Amino acid sequence: QTSKSMNMTYLLDVANHTGVVTRISLIFRRHGANLQSLSTAKTEHPSIVRIVITSDLEGRAAHRIKGQLSKLIDIFKVDMISNDEGTFRAFGMMKIACTLQTRPQILQLLEIFNGRVLELTTEWVLVEMTGTPEQLEGLLQVMQPYGILEAVETGPIVIRRNSPRNGTRPQPTWEVVPGALSAGVSSTSTSTSNSTQERKRNGTDLL
């Protein structure tokens, strides 16, 4: 009996290095996992980028992917996070067909969902909304009867509920420049050690 797939959210704090997203995507590809969304955002540390990935996976594969992601040298922290463990926000825009008769109804629904009008014509209304993915999906569903001409939605970004206090978040030990190894690595490190680091960077030492 196969395990049931569930929607998994990965929260990764990574070095802002060229190619890191490609190496992350390759790990999901090896497991035949389709990425439902991938979003990137700046963080309070200028050289750390937050990547949020959602994918439908069965439990064992999800934890295996997490373990392999943690082996990539460019990744500082990896979490599989639930709705209870973080605050999720996504951004959406949609263009909705309207007439003089339906416009008041659309605007009333938009107010309920805390959306905002960007442009308004006699034939359509362009709106934006920031909220949870479920709230954006809810707005899309209630607007469907009026006619969705176009709609786009970003993947979610996430803040952990249990974050380090008073700026005590540890900083990465590596120097955040492409190709650099940890500042604590001695210049006398062996070529074998460097080779291992390079395999981790390239995602080839993950089996």
Side-chain angles (χ1 to χ4, degrees):
Q1 185 177 358
T2 57
S3 300
K4 183 179 179 181
S5 293
M6 297 180 293
N7 186 261
M8 301 291 186
T9 300
Y10 293 85
L11 194 160
L12 297 82
D13 291 343
V14 309
N16 192 10
H17 288 169
T18 301
V20 65
V21 172
T22 300
R23 289 190 285 275
I24 291 169
S25 299
L26 281 173
I27 291 176
F28 283 86
R29 180 182 174 185
R30 288 170 188 163
H31 290 270
N34 182 46
L35 302 185
Q36 290 188 329
S37 69
L38 187 153
S39 60
T40 63
K42 295 180 180 179
T43 68
E44 75 282 0
H45 191 291
S47 297
I48 295 178
V49 174
R50 176 155 300 173
I51 297 178
V52 180
I53 297 172
T54 61
S55 180
D56 280 333
L57 295 162
E58 61 90 14
R60 284 186 300 177
H63 285 89
R64 195 176 301 121
I65 287 173
K66 179 185 177 183
Q68 293 182 359
L69 288 170
S70 67
K71 294 181 181 179
L72 287 177
I73 194 173
D74 290 324
I75 296 183
F76 176 46
K77 185 174 177 61
V78 182
D79 287 323
M80 289 169 56
I81 194 165
S82 68
N83 287 338
D84 294 334
E85 296 170 324
T87 299
F88 291 67
R89 287 295 180 271
F91 174 78
M93 296 173 61
M94 62 185 72
K95 185 185 286 186
I96 307 155
C98 73
T99 64
L100 292 176
Q101 290 72 36
T102 62
R103 184 190 298 174
Q105 304 166 26
I106 292 173
L107 296 179
Q108 184 177 16
L109 288 170
L110 189 61
E111 184 176 355
I112 293 173
F113 280 84
N114 294 319
R116 189 166 75 92
V117 175
L118 297 178
E119 295 184 46
L120 182 63
T121 73
T122 57
E123 298 180 347
W124 50 262
V125 54
L126 177 63
V127 305
E128 69 174 8
M129 177 182 170
T130 300
T132 66
E134 294 77 15
Q135 289 170 335
L136 267 66
E137 178 63 24
L139 178 62
L140 183 67
Q141 292 300 321
V142 300
M143 293 299 180
Q144 287 283 6
Y146 300 99
I148 304 294
L149 303 178
E150 191 173 352
V152 290
E153 179 183 334
T154 67
I157 57 174
V158 185
I159 289 285
R160 298 177 182 89
R161 294 194 186 276
N162 295 323
S163 300
R165 295 184 178 182
N166 302 323
T168 59
R169 172 180 170 180
Q171 299 303 333
T173 56
W174 28 249
E175 183 182 354
V176 192
V177 293
L181 298 177
S182 168
V185 175
S186 169
S187 60
T188 61
S189 296
T190 63
S191 59
T192 300
S193 176
N194 287 343
S195 176
T196 300
Q197 296 281 7
E198 189 61 28
R199 289 200 304 273
K200 287 179 69 177
R201 178 178 297 283
N202 293 329
T204 57
D205 190 25
L206 301 173
L207 298 179

